[in-house]
Amino acid sequence: MNDKNQGPNGASTAGKEGVFETGRLFIIALAHLVHDTYSAFLAPLLPLLIDKLGMSYTLAGSLSVAQRIPSILNPIAGILADRFNARWFVVISPGLTAVAMSLLGIAPHYIFLVILLVIMGVSATLFHVPTPVMIRRLSANKVGRGMSIYMLGGELARALGPITILGAVSLWGLEGSWRLIPFGIMTSVVLHFILDDAPAGKAAHHDNSTAASFRSLGDHRNFFFIITAMTFFRTMLLGSLTFYLPTYLTSKGATMWVAGMSLSIIQSAGAVGTLCCGSISDNLGRKNMLLILSVVTPLFMWAFILYGGVMTVPLLLILGFSLFSYNPVLLAMVQELETDFPAFLNSIYMGMIFLVSSLSVLTVGRLADSIGLDLAYRIAASVGFLTIPFILMLKDDKKKTGTRHPEWSTEDTD
């Protein structure tokens, strides 16, 4: 009789005990890169779609809402991922997203664009909710390093997506973008075989009810309160230095080219920070890493505000590195919570990040309308320090043992 953590041939499906599974981690990170590259097609295609379909800017803006609104399904996806073998969620998502986003160019009407973007949003939810759980279980006692590798794929996709779709349009025209579909399908096929015995199964607990999932959230309510408050103040900095950065620089006299390049600089530095700081936190500690970042980031934003000009590029490099370095550290902390429902808690974290980030960006915009963008930047830099008391409220890091959660099983649910 096979052990519950063994496949049909007796091979373990729970991952190699204490082993950092580099190969499969990089495969999942590559799938993250492919998936999010397709997800980034909308913004660069928007001017062409507006011209083709005669959309107003209001309708065009609502397409972004259609793309993001399925994120409200995150808790449902988390509950399903904890009850069933979530490997299939991960496998099908790159192909499904590739089909939806590659067909934007041939959509004959606005309503078809909305349908395609909603499909893409659902697919993104199915991919992003269970994959961090897989990463955690393949990373042994180096969860921070695993999350860094995983998050690097998503960061690089922000730059690769626009280049990919604009290159396709230049070769085949707007309505020829469907030719990009095979790359996403191939990714799904590769994932099917590579992750055939990956530890992505349901949680082996006795009570798998929805109420039990929410009780688990209640058990960690203090943690989620703390990181929600942290995220609000941090994303005021993040939104200022990403969403509003080109506008801020042009208001200071920079050319559109320089303003656009500044965004590429900060996001490129962010990719490096994402790769490095999760791994550093494995040794330094998550709480210590967050404290360092929460001191460094607002200090250098103040330096950027006061001493821009010739120092703009080096300061943006430092800010990009520190701003995006929070992501793998926080994601590792969520995955290290003691729970029978890791996918559900991850879905709550992701939904919280989306809602709080949107609120903080709107707050900066409202401040800019009321008192000017320069003063709004100064306020954002100042409130960045308010993350520190909340980080001090976090429990100290537990000693890492390198063991996996014993309550997990990879049995399929019939």
Side-chain angles (χ1 to χ4, degrees):
M1 181 176 178
N2 287 339
D3 183 86
K4 67 179 180 179
N5 286 334
Q6 291 182 338
N9 297 320
S12 173
T13 59
K16 299 174 182 178
E17 186 74 21
V19 176
F20 187 85
E21 299 190 42
T22 305
R24 290 201 286 188
L25 285 166
F26 272 100
I27 290 295
I28 297 173
L30 181 60
H32 193 193
L33 171 64
V34 172
H35 180 279
D36 284 16
T37 294
Y38 284 98
S39 300
F41 283 2
L42 177 61
L45 283 181
L46 204 52
L48 298 174
L49 294 172
I50 290 173
D51 183 62
K52 175 185 175 181
L53 300 177
M55 291 186 292
S56 67
Y57 288 115
T58 301
L59 283 178
S62 66
L63 291 176
S64 178
V65 176
Q67 189 176 23
R68 293 172 179 269
I69 202 167
S71 63
I72 64 175
L73 300 175
N74 278 357
I76 297 175
I79 290 170
L80 292 175
D82 281 327
R83 293 187 183 184
F84 301 95
N85 192 330
R87 183 180 73 89
W88 284 107
F89 293 0
V90 179
V91 168
I92 66 173
S93 294
L96 184 58
T97 296
V99 171
M101 298 303 287
S102 298
L103 292 179
L104 292 180
I106 64 172
H109 192 273
Y110 172 81
I111 192 64
F112 286 91
L113 290 178
V114 171
I115 292 170
L116 289 172
L117 289 169
V118 169
I119 291 172
M120 176 265 144
V122 172
S123 179
T125 293
L126 293 178
F127 183 84
H128 288 102
V129 167
T131 43
V133 180
M134 296 180 71
I135 294 294
R136 187 265 174 270
R137 301 183 67 212
L138 293 168
S139 299
N141 63 336
K142 298 293 183 182
V143 181
R145 182 189 299 175
M147 293 302 170
S148 286
I149 294 171
Y150 170 74
M151 292 297 294
L152 179 63
E155 296 300 332
L156 293 176
R158 298 184 187 188
L160 186 58
I163 296 172
T164 301
I165 190 59
L166 293 177
V169 169
S170 67
L171 285 174
W172 304 310
L174 178 60
E175 297 192 351
S177 60
W178 61 268
R179 290 181 172 87
L180 292 173
I181 290 176
F183 298 102
I185 299 295
M186 288 169 57
T187 302
S188 287
V189 172
V190 170
L191 287 175
H192 171 65
F193 291 103
I194 296 296
L195 303 182
D196 184 49
D197 64 343
K202 61 171 184 169
H205 43 74
H206 296 293
D207 186 357
N208 64 353
S209 66
T210 301
S213 300
F214 280 95
R215 282 197 298 272
S216 178
L217 175 61
D219 292 339
H220 299 286
R221 60 187 178 276
N222 291 336
F223 172 81
F224 279 97
F225 168 77
I226 292 169
I227 63 170
T228 298
M230 282 174 49
T231 298
F232 178 77
F233 296 121
R234 179 181 72 87
T235 52
M236 285 189 70
L237 287 170
L238 182 63
S240 299
L241 288 167
T242 52
F243 194 80
Y244 295 107
L245 181 61
T247 304
Y248 176 79
L249 289 175
T250 53
S251 73
K252 295 294 184 179
T255 65
M256 286 297 297
W257 186 85
V258 170
M261 285 299 297
S262 67
L263 198 55
S264 297
I265 290 169
I266 200 169
Q267 289 182 336
S268 298
V272 178
T274 295
L275 181 61
C276 295
C277 286
S279 300
I280 295 172
S281 73
D282 284 332
N283 299 312
L284 186 63
R286 316 281 185 231
K287 184 175 179 178
N288 291 336
M289 188 77 251
L290 290 175
L291 278 172
I292 292 170
L293 294 173
S294 294
V295 172
V296 168
T297 305
L299 280 176
F300 277 93
M301 184 167 178
W302 267 110
F304 172 73
I305 293 168
L306 298 174
Y307 310 108
V310 294
M311 292 297 294
T312 295
V313 172
L315 287 172
L316 285 178
L317 287 171
I318 296 171
L319 282 168
F321 184 95
S322 63
L323 272 170
F324 291 93
S325 295
Y326 286 83
N327 297 335
V329 180
L330 287 172
L331 198 55
M333 293 179 75
V334 172
Q335 289 305 313
E336 288 172 339
L337 294 173
E338 294 182 1
T339 178
D340 287 346
F341 304 92
F344 176 72
L345 293 187
N346 184 58
S347 72
I348 296 297
Y349 169 71
M350 291 180 56
M352 177 274 295
I353 287 288
F354 168 72
L355 292 174
V356 174
S357 298
S358 300
L359 178 61
S360 61
V361 169
L362 288 173
T363 301
V364 174
R366 179 61 179 168
L367 287 171
D369 286 335
S370 302
I371 59 178
L373 189 55
D374 185 70
L375 190 52
Y377 257 55
R378 292 168 185 262
I379 292 173
S382 299
V383 301
F385 289 109
L386 295 179
T387 59
I388 295 173
F390 289 100
I391 294 172
L392 292 173
M393 292 168 63
L394 290 169
K395 294 180 180 179
D396 292 331
D397 299 52
K398 294 181 179 180
K399 184 179 179 181
K400 306 294 187 299
T401 63
T403 58
R404 299 184 181 277
H405 291 292
E407 72 273 13
W408 276 80
S409 166
T410 52
E411 293 179 90
D412 290 332
T413 299
D414 295 328

